[in-house]
Amino acid sequence: MDREIAIAGYYEAPSKRKSGRDIFDWLSEAASGAMRATGVEKAEIDGLITNAALGGGGSPFWSILAAEALGMSPGWLESVDIGGGSPVAAIARAGAAIKAGFAETVLVAMADVPTIEPKKQVGYRVEFEEAYGPAGPPGLFGLIVNRYKHQYGDPGEAMCKIAMTQRRHAELNPLALLRTPMTREDYYASKIIGEGIRLLDCVMHCDGGLALIVTSGKRARQLTDKPVYLTGYSESHNFDAANPLPDVTKTGFSVSGPKALAMAGLRHDDVDQLQPYDDFTVALVLAVEDLGFCAKGEGPAFIAATDLSHLGKLPLNTGGGQISAGQPGLSAGMIQPVEAIRQLRGEGGDRQIPNPKNALVTGIGYVNYLRNWNTSVAAVLEV
Amino acid sequence: MMEGKERPVPVPTSITRRFWDSVNAEALAIPRCRDCGAVHFYPHALCPSCMSPNLDQVPVSGNGTIYSYTIIRSPQPAFKGMEPYAVVNVELDEGVRIMANVRTDDVEKVRIGVRVKMIYEQSTDDLKIPQFVLA
Ligand SMILES: [Zn+2]
């Protein structure tokens, strides 16, 4: 992909639990923060894209309400509803609109308030899952962990290393909510939610908002001397949908990961930082396998053998990921691209990766009935 | 995610009514495509394999094998007091998978590969749900 889709700057609001703040309060802070960071004026923004949220009422007129809340009159408007994959997908959709000529400067603004207004599920989940008390996503992921264990061996040590690595990164991230050092003992002493999943494997909901400005390469180079380009992108939804007996350990990243890397012309060894969507630690074990960093079943060995710290061979979720930074609902998928961009701009502070040139960023959305997650979004960002 | 204190109850839809009728009759039947022969679960309006609307229902034996499981130890409020309990992904002998609980006093026996047998549990006065016991 050419360098025609660019990110000119970003803003991440400090997340908070039970903030009591309206979702559009968060969205407004995120939007104005990104505009301040880039110097982009309101009059220049001709596109707006946001995320369907867990909190905030879930109106079917969501992006319209967002434009109204921001006092904007965009010429292109969209809301993305593919769960945690929405923010990374929104960057790509903004880029597609720019390349098509529908807009030139798009505000990608994400917010959610799940801790003050959790949303009830609708559809088949109520009918075929909830009567059995699977305890929400932790139980659904427990079913995946235990099958993985059966097929390939226990991923527990890899999950522990991921949790500890990300917590160490969160210690270095002033915006992270969980910054207390974590030992191996802490990990193994944490409460079991459902067999296969401990409390420290899970994300913690919080309220928050993040935003960035996507524009043409040309305009980005005028706005900043540190533009970041979207150079590879692919998404896979509802992987293996028609198979009544799917392998639940295999995800759509096996489709979208290699495609995104190929589009950018990168090999796995070229990847300077991996910022994968992390709702549960085991999701990263599956992700490194299906993205193609190692063979299926070898994720735990790969993780054990790889230095994942910000100074290591493959820096992983250098801001602490969602698991240690906090998960602001369905806006949380913006944590990964924002951290990647921060690193590419050399703004990583105490956790700065030495001179990264690219990042592989992912998003995950929803968990299907007795299968794996639905949406696997993969993007390559480069300077 | 359920946040309430009340146990959730399935509410049949125009697509799933036929399935729930089979459960209430204690003769659970799964959808099968008249055109391509594929079976699927949970019930859809179209065959997920070929998108045909010509779907039949075929009865199942109720016998299956645990494909995966988890033992819930920290449940959501509506299920407090029942823990530990088993949530399972059961592969029926007829080739589909279904979520349920295994009703047992010994959750340690709930493991992958273990054979189970379907039972019907009264969920509300007028609705049963499929569950399992160790075979
Ligand atoms: Zn068919």
Side-chain angles (χ1 to χ4, degrees), chain A residues 121 124 127 130 132-133 137 143 146-147 193-195 242 246 248 369, chain B residues 1-2 16 20 42 67-71 73-74 85 97 99 101 130:
Chain A
Q121 296 283 343
Y124 75 80
E127 213 175 335
E130 290 192 347
Y132 302 111
L143 292 171
N146 288 320
R147 185 65 200 186
I193 309 290
E195 191 173 321
V248 300
Y369 181 74
Chain B
M1 201 184 288
M2 270 306 295
T16 62
W20 288 113
Y42 65 97
Y67 174 82
S68 195
Y69 72 97
T70 183
I71 309 299
R73 300 190 185 273
S74 301
Y85 61 90
R97 300 202 189 117
M99 181 187 288
N101 304 121

PDB file of all heavy atoms in Angstrom, chain A residues 121 124 127 130 132-133 137 143 146-147 193-195 242 246 248 369, chain B residues 1-2 16 20 42 67-71 73-74 85 97 99 101 130:
ATOM      1  N   GLN A 121     -27.101  -7.897  26.552  1.00  0.00           N
ATOM      2  CA  GLN A 121     -26.957  -8.557  25.260  1.00  0.00           C
ATOM      3  C   GLN A 121     -28.320  -8.809  24.655  1.00  0.00           C
ATOM      4  O   GLN A 121     -29.309  -8.968  25.364  1.00  0.00           O
ATOM      5  CB  GLN A 121     -26.228  -9.883  25.437  1.00  0.00           C
ATOM      6  CG  GLN A 121     -24.811  -9.729  25.926  1.00  0.00           C
ATOM      7  CD  GLN A 121     -23.871  -9.301  24.828  1.00  0.00           C
ATOM      8  OE1 GLN A 121     -24.170  -9.408  23.655  1.00  0.00           O
ATOM      9  NE2 GLN A 121     -22.705  -8.812  25.212  1.00  0.00           N
ATOM     10  N   TYR A 124     -29.130 -14.286  20.016  1.00  0.00           N
ATOM     11  CA  TYR A 124     -29.075 -15.693  20.383  1.00  0.00           C
ATOM     12  C   TYR A 124     -28.388 -15.932  21.715  1.00  0.00           C
ATOM     13  O   TYR A 124     -28.587 -16.953  22.353  1.00  0.00           O
ATOM     14  CB  TYR A 124     -28.391 -16.495  19.277  1.00  0.00           C
ATOM     15  CG  TYR A 124     -26.896 -16.322  19.245  1.00  0.00           C
ATOM     16  CD1 TYR A 124     -26.097 -17.021  20.137  1.00  0.00           C
ATOM     17  CD2 TYR A 124     -26.288 -15.449  18.346  1.00  0.00           C
ATOM     18  CE1 TYR A 124     -24.731 -16.861  20.128  1.00  0.00           C
ATOM     19  CE2 TYR A 124     -24.931 -15.296  18.337  1.00  0.00           C
ATOM     20  CZ  TYR A 124     -24.157 -15.989  19.230  1.00  0.00           C
ATOM     21  OH  TYR A 124     -22.808 -15.807  19.228  1.00  0.00           O
ATOM     22  N   GLU A 127     -30.750 -16.587  24.374  1.00  0.00           N
ATOM     23  CA  GLU A 127     -31.506 -17.821  24.171  1.00  0.00           C
ATOM     24  C   GLU A 127     -30.660 -19.080  24.357  1.00  0.00           C
ATOM     25  O   GLU A 127     -31.122 -20.070  24.910  1.00  0.00           O
ATOM     26  CB  GLU A 127     -32.065 -17.798  22.742  1.00  0.00           C
ATOM     27  CG  GLU A 127     -33.402 -18.470  22.614  1.00  0.00           C
ATOM     28  CD  GLU A 127     -33.949 -18.296  21.201  1.00  0.00           C
ATOM     29  OE1 GLU A 127     -33.572 -17.326  20.519  1.00  0.00           O
ATOM     30  OE2 GLU A 127     -34.737 -19.158  20.799  1.00  0.00           O
ATOM     31  N   GLU A 130     -27.008 -17.685  27.853  1.00  0.00           N
ATOM     32  CA  GLU A 130     -27.060 -17.075  29.183  1.00  0.00           C
ATOM     33  C   GLU A 130     -27.780 -17.916  30.228  1.00  0.00           C
ATOM     34  O   GLU A 130     -27.492 -17.793  31.413  1.00  0.00           O
ATOM     35  CB  GLU A 130     -27.666 -15.671  29.086  1.00  0.00           C
ATOM     36  CG  GLU A 130     -26.713 -14.722  28.383  1.00  0.00           C
ATOM     37  CD  GLU A 130     -27.121 -13.267  28.508  1.00  0.00           C
ATOM     38  OE1 GLU A 130     -28.261 -12.989  28.913  1.00  0.00           O
ATOM     39  OE2 GLU A 130     -26.273 -12.412  28.189  1.00  0.00           O
ATOM     40  N   TYR A 132     -27.230 -20.784  30.862  1.00  0.00           N
ATOM     41  CA  TYR A 132     -26.253 -21.723  31.417  1.00  0.00           C
ATOM     42  C   TYR A 132     -25.185 -21.050  32.271  1.00  0.00           C
ATOM     43  O   TYR A 132     -24.247 -21.681  32.735  1.00  0.00           O
ATOM     44  CB  TYR A 132     -25.618 -22.536  30.277  1.00  0.00           C
ATOM     45  CG  TYR A 132     -26.655 -23.291  29.487  1.00  0.00           C
ATOM     46  CD1 TYR A 132     -26.965 -22.948  28.177  1.00  0.00           C
ATOM     47  CD2 TYR A 132     -27.358 -24.337  30.078  1.00  0.00           C
ATOM     48  CE1 TYR A 132     -27.941 -23.632  27.461  1.00  0.00           C
ATOM     49  CE2 TYR A 132     -28.341 -25.035  29.380  1.00  0.00           C
ATOM     50  CZ  TYR A 132     -28.632 -24.675  28.071  1.00  0.00           C
ATOM     51  OH  TYR A 132     -29.606 -25.351  27.381  1.00  0.00           O
ATOM     52  N   GLY A 133     -25.289 -19.739  32.439  1.00  0.00           N
ATOM     53  CA  GLY A 133     -24.393 -19.024  33.346  1.00  0.00           C
ATOM     54  C   GLY A 133     -22.926 -19.104  33.000  1.00  0.00           C
ATOM     55  O   GLY A 133     -22.096 -19.383  33.876  1.00  0.00           O
ATOM     56  N   PRO A 137     -17.801 -13.230  28.902  1.00  0.00           N
ATOM     57  CA  PRO A 137     -16.605 -13.587  28.137  1.00  0.00           C
ATOM     58  C   PRO A 137     -15.579 -14.451  28.883  1.00  0.00           C
ATOM     59  O   PRO A 137     -14.992 -15.338  28.251  1.00  0.00           O
ATOM     60  CB  PRO A 137     -16.023 -12.217  27.759  1.00  0.00           C
ATOM     61  CG  PRO A 137     -17.231 -11.319  27.703  1.00  0.00           C
ATOM     62  CD  PRO A 137     -18.149 -11.805  28.795  1.00  0.00           C
ATOM     63  N   LEU A 143     -13.706 -21.915  27.799  1.00  0.00           N
ATOM     64  CA  LEU A 143     -13.972 -23.047  26.893  1.00  0.00           C
ATOM     65  C   LEU A 143     -12.885 -23.149  25.823  1.00  0.00           C
ATOM     66  O   LEU A 143     -12.513 -24.246  25.396  1.00  0.00           O
ATOM     67  CB  LEU A 143     -15.334 -22.865  26.209  1.00  0.00           C
ATOM     68  CG  LEU A 143     -16.581 -22.971  27.102  1.00  0.00           C
ATOM     69  CD1 LEU A 143     -17.826 -22.551  26.324  1.00  0.00           C
ATOM     70  CD2 LEU A 143     -16.753 -24.382  27.649  1.00  0.00           C
ATOM     71  N   ASN A 146      -9.394 -24.375  27.608  1.00  0.00           N
ATOM     72  CA  ASN A 146      -9.331 -25.792  27.965  1.00  0.00           C
ATOM     73  C   ASN A 146      -9.232 -26.684  26.733  1.00  0.00           C
ATOM     74  O   ASN A 146      -8.601 -27.738  26.777  1.00  0.00           O
ATOM     75  CB  ASN A 146     -10.514 -26.164  28.853  1.00  0.00           C
ATOM     76  CG  ASN A 146     -10.341 -25.565  30.241  1.00  0.00           C
ATOM     77  OD1 ASN A 146      -9.227 -25.547  30.782  1.00  0.00           O
ATOM     78  ND2 ASN A 146     -11.402 -25.025  30.802  1.00  0.00           N
ATOM     79  N   ARG A 147      -9.842 -26.248  25.631  1.00  0.00           N
ATOM     80  CA  ARG A 147      -9.689 -27.022  24.393  1.00  0.00           C
ATOM     81  C   ARG A 147      -8.248 -26.888  23.865  1.00  0.00           C
ATOM     82  O   ARG A 147      -7.640 -27.860  23.399  1.00  0.00           O
ATOM     83  CB  ARG A 147     -10.690 -26.554  23.326  1.00  0.00           C
ATOM     84  CG  ARG A 147     -10.680 -27.385  22.074  1.00  0.00           C
ATOM     85  CD  ARG A 147     -11.147 -28.815  22.336  1.00  0.00           C
ATOM     86  NE  ARG A 147     -10.709 -29.733  21.299  1.00  0.00           N
ATOM     87  CZ  ARG A 147     -11.069 -31.012  21.221  1.00  0.00           C
ATOM     88  NH1 ARG A 147     -11.852 -31.543  22.139  1.00  0.00           N
ATOM     89  NH2 ARG A 147     -10.622 -31.775  20.254  1.00  0.00           N
ATOM     90  N   ILE A 193     -11.847 -17.388  37.664  1.00  0.00           N
ATOM     91  CA  ILE A 193     -13.231 -17.016  37.326  1.00  0.00           C
ATOM     92  C   ILE A 193     -13.952 -18.277  36.845  1.00  0.00           C
ATOM     93  O   ILE A 193     -14.999 -18.645  37.356  1.00  0.00           O
ATOM     94  CB  ILE A 193     -13.270 -15.945  36.206  1.00  0.00           C
ATOM     95  CG1 ILE A 193     -12.362 -14.755  36.542  1.00  0.00           C
ATOM     96  CG2 ILE A 193     -14.711 -15.512  35.914  1.00  0.00           C
ATOM     97  CD1 ILE A 193     -12.830 -13.892  37.666  1.00  0.00           C
ATOM     98  N   GLY A 194     -13.371 -18.878  35.832  1.00  0.00           N
ATOM     99  CA  GLY A 194     -13.838 -20.164  35.337  1.00  0.00           C
ATOM    100  C   GLY A 194     -12.585 -20.936  35.012  1.00  0.00           C
ATOM    101  O   GLY A 194     -11.580 -20.327  34.623  1.00  0.00           O
ATOM    102  N   GLU A 195     -12.612 -22.265  35.153  1.00  0.00           N
ATOM    103  CA  GLU A 195     -11.384 -23.029  34.961  1.00  0.00           C
ATOM    104  C   GLU A 195     -10.732 -22.666  33.631  1.00  0.00           C
ATOM    105  O   GLU A 195     -11.372 -22.697  32.593  1.00  0.00           O
ATOM    106  CB  GLU A 195     -11.657 -24.526  35.017  1.00  0.00           C
ATOM    107  CG  GLU A 195     -10.361 -25.313  35.090  1.00  0.00           C
ATOM    108  CD  GLU A 195     -10.611 -26.792  35.319  1.00  0.00           C
ATOM    109  OE1 GLU A 195     -11.509 -27.135  36.091  1.00  0.00           O
ATOM    110  OE2 GLU A 195      -9.880 -27.580  34.702  1.00  0.00           O
ATOM    111  N   ALA A 242     -19.577 -21.662   8.513  1.00  0.00           N
ATOM    112  CA  ALA A 242     -20.515 -22.708   8.107  1.00  0.00           C
ATOM    113  C   ALA A 242     -20.140 -24.081   8.659  1.00  0.00           C
ATOM    114  O   ALA A 242     -20.845 -25.060   8.421  1.00  0.00           O
ATOM    115  CB  ALA A 242     -20.600 -22.767   6.582  1.00  0.00           C
ATOM    116  N   PRO A 246     -16.189 -26.638  14.256  1.00  0.00           N
ATOM    117  CA  PRO A 246     -14.935 -25.919  13.992  1.00  0.00           C
ATOM    118  C   PRO A 246     -13.872 -26.191  15.068  1.00  0.00           C
ATOM    119  O   PRO A 246     -14.199 -26.610  16.178  1.00  0.00           O
ATOM    120  CB  PRO A 246     -15.372 -24.451  14.061  1.00  0.00           C
ATOM    121  CG  PRO A 246     -16.491 -24.455  15.048  1.00  0.00           C
ATOM    122  CD  PRO A 246     -17.222 -25.760  14.826  1.00  0.00           C
ATOM    123  N   VAL A 248     -11.982 -24.626  17.676  1.00  0.00           N
ATOM    124  CA  VAL A 248     -12.198 -23.352  18.391  1.00  0.00           C
ATOM    125  C   VAL A 248     -10.892 -22.644  18.741  1.00  0.00           C
ATOM    126  O   VAL A 248     -10.911 -21.517  19.225  1.00  0.00           O
ATOM    127  CB  VAL A 248     -13.025 -23.533  19.676  1.00  0.00           C
ATOM    128  CG1 VAL A 248     -14.385 -24.116  19.363  1.00  0.00           C
ATOM    129  CG2 VAL A 248     -12.284 -24.354  20.724  1.00  0.00           C
ATOM    130  N   TYR A 369     -21.011 -18.180  19.043  1.00  0.00           N
ATOM    131  CA  TYR A 369     -21.555 -19.336  19.761  1.00  0.00           C
ATOM    132  C   TYR A 369     -20.641 -20.548  19.592  1.00  0.00           C
ATOM    133  O   TYR A 369     -20.502 -21.088  18.491  1.00  0.00           O
ATOM    134  CB  TYR A 369     -22.957 -19.655  19.233  1.00  0.00           C
ATOM    135  CG  TYR A 369     -23.626 -20.818  19.927  1.00  0.00           C
ATOM    136  CD1 TYR A 369     -24.138 -20.672  21.212  1.00  0.00           C
ATOM    137  CD2 TYR A 369     -23.736 -22.056  19.307  1.00  0.00           C
ATOM    138  CE1 TYR A 369     -24.760 -21.727  21.855  1.00  0.00           C
ATOM    139  CE2 TYR A 369     -24.356 -23.119  19.949  1.00  0.00           C
ATOM    140  CZ  TYR A 369     -24.864 -22.961  21.216  1.00  0.00           C
ATOM    141  OH  TYR A 369     -25.465 -24.004  21.865  1.00  0.00           O
TER     142      TYR A 369
ATOM    143  N   MET B   1     -23.225  -9.087  28.627  1.00  0.00           N
ATOM    144  CA  MET B   1     -23.011  -9.805  29.896  1.00  0.00           C
ATOM    145  C   MET B   1     -24.193  -9.570  30.839  1.00  0.00           C
ATOM    146  O   MET B   1     -24.661  -8.450  30.988  1.00  0.00           O
ATOM    147  CB  MET B   1     -21.724  -9.265  30.542  1.00  0.00           C
ATOM    148  CG  MET B   1     -21.109 -10.210  31.544  1.00  0.00           C
ATOM    149  SD  MET B   1     -19.678  -9.464  32.356  1.00  0.00           S
ATOM    150  CE  MET B   1     -18.474  -9.464  31.036  1.00  0.00           C
ATOM    151  N   MET B   2     -24.722 -10.616  31.451  1.00  0.00           N
ATOM    152  CA  MET B   2     -25.837 -10.453  32.378  1.00  0.00           C
ATOM    153  C   MET B   2     -25.371  -9.772  33.655  1.00  0.00           C
ATOM    154  O   MET B   2     -24.418 -10.164  34.275  1.00  0.00           O
ATOM    155  CB  MET B   2     -26.398 -11.827  32.748  1.00  0.00           C
ATOM    156  CG  MET B   2     -27.494 -12.328  31.836  1.00  0.00           C
ATOM    157  SD  MET B   2     -28.876 -11.190  31.632  1.00  0.00           S
ATOM    158  CE  MET B   2     -29.540 -11.164  33.299  1.00  0.00           C
ATOM    159  N   THR B  16     -36.625 -19.920  16.113  1.00  0.00           N
ATOM    160  CA  THR B  16     -36.233 -20.988  17.037  1.00  0.00           C
ATOM    161  C   THR B  16     -37.423 -21.696  17.690  1.00  0.00           C
ATOM    162  O   THR B  16     -37.228 -22.670  18.412  1.00  0.00           O
ATOM    163  CB  THR B  16     -35.330 -20.427  18.152  1.00  0.00           C
ATOM    164  OG1 THR B  16     -36.078 -19.442  18.898  1.00  0.00           O
ATOM    165  CG2 THR B  16     -34.089 -19.784  17.569  1.00  0.00           C
ATOM    166  N   TRP B  20     -37.547 -25.094  20.175  1.00  0.00           N
ATOM    167  CA  TRP B  20     -37.968 -25.124  21.581  1.00  0.00           C
ATOM    168  C   TRP B  20     -39.172 -26.041  21.767  1.00  0.00           C
ATOM    169  O   TRP B  20     -39.317 -26.676  22.810  1.00  0.00           O
ATOM    170  CB  TRP B  20     -38.251 -23.700  22.089  1.00  0.00           C
ATOM    171  CG  TRP B  20     -36.976 -22.919  22.257  1.00  0.00           C
ATOM    172  CD1 TRP B  20     -36.565 -21.836  21.537  1.00  0.00           C
ATOM    173  CD2 TRP B  20     -35.930 -23.181  23.214  1.00  0.00           C
ATOM    174  NE1 TRP B  20     -35.324 -21.412  21.969  1.00  0.00           N
ATOM    175  CE2 TRP B  20     -34.911 -22.221  22.999  1.00  0.00           C
ATOM    176  CE3 TRP B  20     -35.731 -24.137  24.205  1.00  0.00           C
ATOM    177  CZ2 TRP B  20     -33.742 -22.171  23.751  1.00  0.00           C
ATOM    178  CZ3 TRP B  20     -34.564 -24.100  24.966  1.00  0.00           C
ATOM    179  CH2 TRP B  20     -33.594 -23.130  24.726  1.00  0.00           C
ATOM    180  N   TYR B  42     -26.739 -23.152  16.747  1.00  0.00           N
ATOM    181  CA  TYR B  42     -28.134 -22.978  17.048  1.00  0.00           C
ATOM    182  C   TYR B  42     -28.945 -22.727  15.765  1.00  0.00           C
ATOM    183  O   TYR B  42     -28.355 -22.456  14.726  1.00  0.00           O
ATOM    184  CB  TYR B  42     -28.280 -21.796  18.032  1.00  0.00           C
ATOM    185  CG  TYR B  42     -27.864 -20.460  17.441  1.00  0.00           C
ATOM    186  CD1 TYR B  42     -28.813 -19.590  16.901  1.00  0.00           C
ATOM    187  CD2 TYR B  42     -26.519 -20.090  17.379  1.00  0.00           C
ATOM    188  CE1 TYR B  42     -28.443 -18.385  16.333  1.00  0.00           C
ATOM    189  CE2 TYR B  42     -26.152 -18.892  16.797  1.00  0.00           C
ATOM    190  CZ  TYR B  42     -27.121 -18.060  16.286  1.00  0.00           C
ATOM    191  OH  TYR B  42     -26.740 -16.889  15.701  1.00  0.00           O
ATOM    192  N   TYR B  67     -16.612 -31.616  24.224  1.00  0.00           N
ATOM    193  CA  TYR B  67     -15.563 -31.061  23.353  1.00  0.00           C
ATOM    194  C   TYR B  67     -14.714 -30.075  24.146  1.00  0.00           C
ATOM    195  O   TYR B  67     -13.490 -30.008  23.979  1.00  0.00           O
ATOM    196  CB  TYR B  67     -16.207 -30.363  22.155  1.00  0.00           C
ATOM    197  CG  TYR B  67     -15.226 -29.633  21.257  1.00  0.00           C
ATOM    198  CD1 TYR B  67     -14.500 -30.314  20.288  1.00  0.00           C
ATOM    199  CD2 TYR B  67     -15.016 -28.263  21.404  1.00  0.00           C
ATOM    200  CE1 TYR B  67     -13.594 -29.655  19.473  1.00  0.00           C
ATOM    201  CE2 TYR B  67     -14.113 -27.588  20.587  1.00  0.00           C
ATOM    202  CZ  TYR B  67     -13.402 -28.293  19.627  1.00  0.00           C
ATOM    203  OH  TYR B  67     -12.500 -27.623  18.820  1.00  0.00           O
ATOM    204  N   SER B  68     -15.371 -29.263  24.974  1.00  0.00           N
ATOM    205  CA  SER B  68     -14.624 -28.438  25.932  1.00  0.00           C
ATOM    206  C   SER B  68     -15.521 -28.092  27.105  1.00  0.00           C
ATOM    207  O   SER B  68     -16.736 -28.344  27.072  1.00  0.00           O
ATOM    208  CB  SER B  68     -14.054 -27.175  25.280  1.00  0.00           C
ATOM    209  OG  SER B  68     -13.064 -26.617  26.144  1.00  0.00           O
ATOM    210  N   TYR B  69     -14.909 -27.515  28.146  1.00  0.00           N
ATOM    211  CA  TYR B  69     -15.655 -27.253  29.380  1.00  0.00           C
ATOM    212  C   TYR B  69     -14.976 -26.115  30.109  1.00  0.00           C
ATOM    213  O   TYR B  69     -13.816 -25.770  29.857  1.00  0.00           O
ATOM    214  CB  TYR B  69     -15.646 -28.500  30.279  1.00  0.00           C
ATOM    215  CG  TYR B  69     -14.280 -28.725  30.879  1.00  0.00           C
ATOM    216  CD1 TYR B  69     -13.992 -28.275  32.176  1.00  0.00           C
ATOM    217  CD2 TYR B  69     -13.257 -29.289  30.125  1.00  0.00           C
ATOM    218  CE1 TYR B  69     -12.716 -28.419  32.698  1.00  0.00           C
ATOM    219  CE2 TYR B  69     -11.984 -29.438  30.639  1.00  0.00           C
ATOM    220  CZ  TYR B  69     -11.713 -29.002  31.936  1.00  0.00           C
ATOM    221  OH  TYR B  69     -10.457 -29.117  32.451  1.00  0.00           O
ATOM    222  N   THR B  70     -15.710 -25.498  31.026  1.00  0.00           N
ATOM    223  CA  THR B  70     -15.073 -24.688  32.049  1.00  0.00           C
ATOM    224  C   THR B  70     -15.874 -24.880  33.321  1.00  0.00           C
ATOM    225  O   THR B  70     -17.061 -25.222  33.269  1.00  0.00           O
ATOM    226  CB  THR B  70     -14.944 -23.199  31.653  1.00  0.00           C
ATOM    227  OG1 THR B  70     -14.235 -22.502  32.686  1.00  0.00           O
ATOM    228  CG2 THR B  70     -16.294 -22.555  31.440  1.00  0.00           C
ATOM    229  N   ILE B  71     -15.205 -24.720  34.445  1.00  0.00           N
ATOM    230  CA  ILE B  71     -15.892 -24.816  35.731  1.00  0.00           C
ATOM    231  C   ILE B  71     -15.980 -23.403  36.285  1.00  0.00           C
ATOM    232  O   ILE B  71     -14.953 -22.786  36.586  1.00  0.00           O
ATOM    233  CB  ILE B  71     -15.120 -25.724  36.729  1.00  0.00           C
ATOM    234  CG1 ILE B  71     -14.767 -27.079  36.085  1.00  0.00           C
ATOM    235  CG2 ILE B  71     -15.935 -25.903  38.018  1.00  0.00           C
ATOM    236  CD1 ILE B  71     -15.937 -27.904  35.636  1.00  0.00           C
ATOM    237  N   ARG B  73     -16.288 -20.644  38.814  1.00  0.00           N
ATOM    238  CA  ARG B  73     -16.065 -20.505  40.264  1.00  0.00           C
ATOM    239  C   ARG B  73     -16.447 -19.125  40.774  1.00  0.00           C
ATOM    240  O   ARG B  73     -16.633 -18.929  41.974  1.00  0.00           O
ATOM    241  CB  ARG B  73     -14.611 -20.827  40.608  1.00  0.00           C
ATOM    242  CG  ARG B  73     -14.266 -22.253  40.205  1.00  0.00           C
ATOM    243  CD  ARG B  73     -12.931 -22.758  40.721  1.00  0.00           C
ATOM    244  NE  ARG B  73     -12.654 -24.086  40.165  1.00  0.00           N
ATOM    245  CZ  ARG B  73     -13.066 -25.224  40.714  1.00  0.00           C
ATOM    246  NH1 ARG B  73     -13.755 -25.215  41.830  1.00  0.00           N
ATOM    247  NH2 ARG B  73     -12.782 -26.375  40.129  1.00  0.00           N
ATOM    248  N   SER B  74     -16.506 -18.132  39.880  1.00  0.00           N
ATOM    249  CA  SER B  74     -16.940 -16.773  40.251  1.00  0.00           C
ATOM    250  C   SER B  74     -18.065 -16.357  39.299  1.00  0.00           C
ATOM    251  O   SER B  74     -17.826 -15.669  38.320  1.00  0.00           O
ATOM    252  CB  SER B  74     -15.774 -15.787  40.143  1.00  0.00           C
ATOM    253  OG  SER B  74     -14.727 -16.174  40.982  1.00  0.00           O
ATOM    254  N   TYR B  85     -19.866 -24.822  39.093  1.00  0.00           N
ATOM    255  CA  TYR B  85     -20.716 -25.570  38.170  1.00  0.00           C
ATOM    256  C   TYR B  85     -20.036 -25.614  36.801  1.00  0.00           C
ATOM    257  O   TYR B  85     -19.196 -24.776  36.478  1.00  0.00           O
ATOM    258  CB  TYR B  85     -22.125 -24.968  38.088  1.00  0.00           C
ATOM    259  CG  TYR B  85     -22.211 -23.542  37.602  1.00  0.00           C
ATOM    260  CD1 TYR B  85     -22.363 -23.245  36.248  1.00  0.00           C
ATOM    261  CD2 TYR B  85     -22.157 -22.476  38.503  1.00  0.00           C
ATOM    262  CE1 TYR B  85     -22.460 -21.940  35.810  1.00  0.00           C
ATOM    263  CE2 TYR B  85     -22.250 -21.158  38.078  1.00  0.00           C
ATOM    264  CZ  TYR B  85     -22.399 -20.888  36.730  1.00  0.00           C
ATOM    265  OH  TYR B  85     -22.485 -19.593  36.292  1.00  0.00           O
ATOM    266  N   ARG B  97     -22.575 -28.985  17.881  1.00  0.00           N
ATOM    267  CA  ARG B  97     -22.182 -28.721  19.268  1.00  0.00           C
ATOM    268  C   ARG B  97     -23.213 -27.829  19.940  1.00  0.00           C
ATOM    269  O   ARG B  97     -23.822 -26.979  19.298  1.00  0.00           O
ATOM    270  CB  ARG B  97     -20.803 -28.082  19.320  1.00  0.00           C
ATOM    271  CG  ARG B  97     -19.734 -28.971  18.705  1.00  0.00           C
ATOM    272  CD  ARG B  97     -18.354 -28.615  19.219  1.00  0.00           C
ATOM    273  NE  ARG B  97     -17.352 -29.342  18.443  1.00  0.00           N
ATOM    274  CZ  ARG B  97     -16.430 -28.749  17.684  1.00  0.00           C
ATOM    275  NH1 ARG B  97     -16.364 -27.423  17.632  1.00  0.00           N
ATOM    276  NH2 ARG B  97     -15.567 -29.476  17.004  1.00  0.00           N
ATOM    277  N   MET B  99     -24.159 -25.708  23.824  1.00  0.00           N
ATOM    278  CA  MET B  99     -23.740 -25.285  25.167  1.00  0.00           C
ATOM    279  C   MET B  99     -24.779 -25.702  26.184  1.00  0.00           C
ATOM    280  O   MET B  99     -25.981 -25.617  25.925  1.00  0.00           O
ATOM    281  CB  MET B  99     -23.543 -23.768  25.238  1.00  0.00           C
ATOM    282  CG  MET B  99     -23.075 -23.304  26.622  1.00  0.00           C
ATOM    283  SD  MET B  99     -23.010 -21.497  26.825  1.00  0.00           S
ATOM    284  CE  MET B  99     -21.589 -21.103  25.830  1.00  0.00           C
ATOM    285  N   ASN B 101     -25.063 -27.055  30.758  1.00  0.00           N
ATOM    286  CA  ASN B 101     -24.364 -27.426  31.983  1.00  0.00           C
ATOM    287  C   ASN B 101     -24.345 -28.948  32.072  1.00  0.00           C
ATOM    288  O   ASN B 101     -25.196 -29.618  31.490  1.00  0.00           O
ATOM    289  CB  ASN B 101     -25.085 -26.880  33.222  1.00  0.00           C
ATOM    290  CG  ASN B 101     -25.292 -25.371  33.177  1.00  0.00           C
ATOM    291  OD1 ASN B 101     -26.423 -24.895  33.239  1.00  0.00           O
ATOM    292  ND2 ASN B 101     -24.207 -24.627  33.055  1.00  0.00           N
ATOM    293  N   PRO B 130     -32.371 -27.924  27.381  1.00  0.00           N
ATOM    294  CA  PRO B 130     -31.531 -29.121  27.371  1.00  0.00           C
ATOM    295  C   PRO B 130     -30.357 -28.977  28.341  1.00  0.00           C
ATOM    296  O   PRO B 130     -29.767 -27.902  28.425  1.00  0.00           O
ATOM    297  CB  PRO B 130     -31.044 -29.209  25.921  1.00  0.00           C
ATOM    298  CG  PRO B 130     -31.224 -27.844  25.348  1.00  0.00           C
ATOM    299  CD  PRO B 130     -32.285 -27.156  26.143  1.00  0.00           C
TER     300      PRO B 130
END
